[in-house]
Amino acid sequence: MAKAYERIADELRRSIRAGELRPGDRLPSETKLAEDHRRSVPTIRDALRLLQDEGLIEKLHGRGNFVRKPRTTVLRTNERHQWEKDRAREPKGERLKTGSTEHDTGLTVNDLVFHAAYREIKAGSELADVFDVPEGTAFIERTFRTRYDAENAPFTLVTSYLVRSLVEANPDLLDAANEPWPGGTQSQLHSVGIELGRIEERVTARPPTPEEAEELELPPGTSVLLLRKTSYDIEGRAVEMSDVTLPGDRTEMLFTTPLERW
Amino acid sequence: MAKAYERIADELRRSIRAGELRPGDRLPSETKLAEDHRRSVPTIRDALRLLQDEGLIEKLHGRGNFVRKPRTTVLRTNERHQWEKDRAREPKGERLKTGSTEHDTGLTVNDLVFHAAYREIKAGSELADVFDVPEGTAFIERTFRTRYDAENAPFTLVTSYLVRSLVEANPDLLDAANEPWPGGTQSQLHSVGIELGRIEERVTARPPTPEEAEELELPPGTSVLLLRKTSYDIEGRAVEMSDVTLPGDRTEMLFTTPLERW
DNA sequence: GAGTGGTCTAGACCACTGT
DNA sequence: CAGTGGTCTAGACCACTCC
């Protein structure tokens, strides 16, 4: 004997999957559903919460419960890295025209807003491990939000780490006022004589923390993608690491792997 | 004025983050929490559900509520593709020794169980688009589960598509009984004269459907990673596509992008 | 059997949306 | 204002775990 709220959720889920309830449609009110199924309102709400957690419906206070529409997604490719490298040595005027976020999305620079903060920190065991330096080494921590003006929610939260001694040759890199740096991180590193040899990206997914949900305006029933990007110079030494949080319902990442010929 | 269940959740969340409640610890019982906070049990349960949805706690019926321990993750790299290509032309005996899942995880072939089913289908608009063939073209659809014996949950669900006319030159490829094919998909394609030139992988994340949650034994408060892998031959023609569902709490994907020298 | 969480009820009252 | 969902109560009864 299945539980009442599960049976009710199953029935509504089937309705939605079959297209009898279409994206944007309003579900019957909770009191109406309660009468129809001869159950109490809290039981109906248990059923609706299941569907909300699956990302199938959206609850709008005072308006009703609606079948959720799919979000339009932003594509983020790994080809951006070669593209950014090619551009890193170009004159500043050229670099100003577009940033790498625009390369991925087809947007222009004016559609984007950046917030940045710099902080100096000492390496804990995790940073020390990635960069192969002693614990306590001085790092620059930069935090960003990138935003697409046409939407009212940011689409990434970024924390980036650089070894202080590697970048202090260029004092401009130590000042948040110079953000956004035209040409991006690779251009910044080029200004202190660093050329990148490869980039590693690690991807996992989990539900958002309340803080992430608020900053990225994530409704219940969505996930975040966590991307840890580590950049290595041509000698294979880690020179930069970023932790990026992306909204799972608005992001698609594309990785292309070329294969050697037989 | 914050809501009671949110305040209670905040307090417990802070406790967990601060390490006062450690992974594996049992929380006070719901009736105890209700007395402490002078709230009803359902209100306490509302608070605990928030924490469960964030993946912070685990509810065990009849035992209690526990701080969740981090799962050990399996690493899946894009270097597997070159490795699989290098191996595709090796003699069958060699290929039998290990499969590509083992390459990623360090397991031996005996730790893995495969289930496979083959089905012939006609291309809908999506498949027709990816493979650049007319709608209605005959495809072979293969579905798999891969499992690690030491755990009792599968770690991937796979659906793979091949154009029938491309692979029917080798009848063995049309029979599920020959699964798992030693050397994997690239070896199968090699048997009909196809060499791969590049692989594209698209990654998104969302909460699991009830079906996925059951098959992958995903507790509430976890996400799935969706990987769509498309393989192109050396002329750039799509020859294989897979949709892979991975448990977000047990999977880390690593993509390495080499950069050209200046 | 004692203690735990899971399901469900019936209803009060609040907060938000639209007309 | 009427109608909607959101919060919360007080308690009954069931299902599971462990001793």
Side-chain angles (χ1 to χ4, degrees):
Chain A
M1 167 60 183
K3 299 136 218 169
Y5 75 98
E6 283 182 355
R7 277 190 287 101
I8 295 166
D10 286 347
E11 184 182 320
L12 291 167
R13 192 185 297 109
R14 192 205 52 73
S15 257
I16 292 169
R17 286 183 179 170
E20 294 157 23
L21 287 165
R22 312 173 62 102
D25 282 359
R26 216 202 79 182
L27 274 58
S29 77
E30 299 182 350
T31 49
K32 176 74 163 43
L33 285 169
E35 286 164 16
D36 291 354
H37 292 87
R38 292 154 194 278
R39 293 286 161 178
S40 70
V41 168
T43 298
I44 298 299
R45 291 176 60 75
D46 284 345
L48 294 174
R49 195 177 41 249
L50 280 185
L51 301 181
Q52 184 186 31
D53 287 348
E54 291 163 23
L56 276 180
I57 67 165
E58 191 173 7
K59 314 199 95 226
L60 297 181
H61 193 169
R63 301 221 289 136
N65 298 300
F66 296 83
V67 180
R68 187 183 282 172
K69 297 178 187 166
R71 301 286 295 266
T72 54
T73 62
V74 169
L75 190 66
R76 185 199 148 97
T77 76
N78 68 333
E79 285 163 358
R80 75 199 325 254
H81 303 131
Q82 184 63 53
W83 181 86
E84 193 180 315
K85 176 161 182 174
D86 293 343
R87 226 171 53 122
R89 289 182 306 172
E90 286 177 9
K92 193 177 174 187
E94 272 308 303
R95 284 187 273 126
L96 266 172
K97 286 185 184 165
T98 51
S100 68
T101 311
E102 299 87 51
H103 176 60
D104 288 347
T105 59
L107 313 175
T108 70
V109 74
N110 293 322
D111 290 325
L112 294 166
V113 180
F114 294 83
H115 303 271
Y118 281 40
R119 209 159 63 97
E120 187 163 329
I121 60 166
K122 301 245 173 276
S125 61
E126 198 178 2
L127 278 181
D129 207 46
V130 170
F131 286 84
D132 196 24
V133 296
E135 285 192 35
T137 303
F139 273 76
I140 308 292
E141 179 194 83
R142 304 179 294 155
T143 59
F144 296 83
R145 283 163 195 70
T146 71
R147 181 187 289 273
Y148 171 31
D149 265 355
E151 302 219 339
N152 43 18
F155 61 78
T156 65
L157 308 175
V158 187
T159 308
S160 168
Y161 301 92
L162 292 163
V163 179
R164 193 186 199 286
S165 63
L166 275 185
V167 297
E168 63 195 359
N170 182 350
D172 288 351
L173 296 183
L174 305 178
D175 183 357
N178 295 308
E179 210 63 58
W181 186 274
T185 301
Q186 289 208 47
S187 185
Q188 293 183 33
L189 291 169
H190 174 242
S191 77
V192 290
I194 294 172
E195 175 183 354
L196 296 190
R198 76 173 199 281
I199 290 176
E200 287 186 0
E201 294 172 282
R202 288 164 189 272
V203 180
T204 59
R206 57 160 171 72
T209 64
E211 293 81 0
E212 289 164 347
E214 195 190 351
E215 290 219 67
L216 297 172
E217 289 179 24
L218 291 169
T222 55
S223 300
V224 292
L225 281 163
L226 298 178
L227 173 69
R228 166 163 290 190
K229 185 189 76 172
T230 314
S231 302
Y232 297 87
D233 70 7
I234 50 181
E235 269 107 38
R237 181 180 50 161
V239 294
E240 194 263 349
M241 185 186 93
S242 306
D243 283 318
V244 186
T245 307
L246 304 116
D249 62 340
R250 278 176 280 153
T251 308
E252 180 172 318
M253 294 192 284
L254 169 61
F255 297 95
T256 302
T257 307
L259 299 175
E260 291 164 20
R261 287 296 308 271
W262 275 332
Chain B
M1 166 58 182
K3 299 137 219 170
Y5 75 98
E6 283 183 356
R7 276 190 287 101
I8 296 166
D10 286 347
E11 185 181 319
L12 290 168
R13 192 185 299 109
R14 192 206 52 73
S15 254
I16 293 169
R17 285 184 179 169
E20 293 157 25
L21 288 166
R22 312 173 62 101
D25 282 0
R26 216 203 77 181
L27 275 58
S29 77
E30 300 183 348
T31 49
K32 177 75 164 42
L33 285 169
E35 286 165 15
D36 291 353
H37 292 88
R38 295 159 190 269
R39 294 285 160 178
S40 70
V41 168
T43 298
I44 298 299
R45 290 177 59 76
D46 284 344
L48 294 174
R49 195 176 44 247
L50 280 186
L51 302 180
Q52 185 186 31
D53 287 347
E54 292 163 23
L56 276 180
I57 66 165
E58 190 174 9
K59 316 201 91 219
L60 297 181
H61 193 169
R63 301 222 287 137
N65 298 301
F66 297 82
V67 179
R68 187 183 282 170
K69 296 177 186 166
R71 301 287 295 266
T72 54
T73 61
V74 169
L75 190 65
R76 185 198 148 97
T77 77
N78 69 332
E79 284 162 358
R80 72 196 331 249
H81 302 131
Q82 184 65 50
W83 181 87
E84 194 180 313
K85 175 159 183 173
D86 292 344
R87 224 171 55 121
R89 290 181 306 172
E90 287 177 7
K92 194 178 173 186
E94 272 306 304
R95 284 188 271 126
L96 265 172
K97 287 185 183 164
T98 51
S100 69
T101 310
E102 299 86 52
H103 175 60
D104 289 347
T105 59
L107 313 173
T108 70
V109 74
N110 293 323
D111 291 325
L112 295 167
V113 180
F114 294 83
H115 303 271
Y118 281 40
R119 208 158 63 96
E120 186 162 330
I121 61 166
K122 300 247 174 274
S125 61
E126 199 178 0
L127 278 181
D129 207 46
V130 169
F131 286 84
D132 196 23
V133 295
E135 284 192 33
T137 302
F139 273 76
I140 307 293
E141 180 195 83
R142 304 179 295 155
T143 59
F144 296 83
R145 281 164 197 67
T146 71
R147 181 188 288 275
Y148 172 30
D149 265 356
E151 302 219 336
N152 42 18
F155 60 78
T156 65
L157 308 176
V158 187
T159 308
S160 169
Y161 301 93
L162 293 164
V163 179
R164 193 186 199 287
S165 63
L166 276 184
V167 297
E168 62 195 359
N170 183 350
D172 287 353
L173 297 184
L174 306 178
D175 182 358
N178 295 308
E179 210 64 55
W181 186 275
T185 301
Q186 289 207 49
S187 185
Q188 294 183 31
L189 291 169
H190 174 243
S191 77
V192 291
I194 293 173
E195 175 183 355
L196 296 190
R198 77 172 199 281
I199 289 177
E200 287 186 1
E201 294 172 283
R202 288 163 189 273
V203 180
T204 58
R206 57 161 173 71
T209 63
E211 293 82 1
E212 288 163 349
E214 194 189 351
E215 291 218 68
L216 297 172
E217 288 178 26
L218 291 169
T222 56
S223 301
V224 293
L225 281 163
L226 298 178
L227 173 68
R228 165 162 292 188
K229 186 188 75 172
T230 314
S231 303
Y232 297 88
D233 69 8
I234 50 181
E235 268 105 39
R237 182 180 49 160
V239 294
E240 194 263 350
M241 186 185 94
S242 305
D243 283 318
V244 187
T245 306
L246 305 118
D249 62 340
R250 277 176 281 152
T251 309
E252 180 173 318
M253 293 192 284
L254 169 61
F255 297 95
T256 302
T257 307
L259 298 175
E260 292 164 19
R261 287 297 307 271
W262 275 333

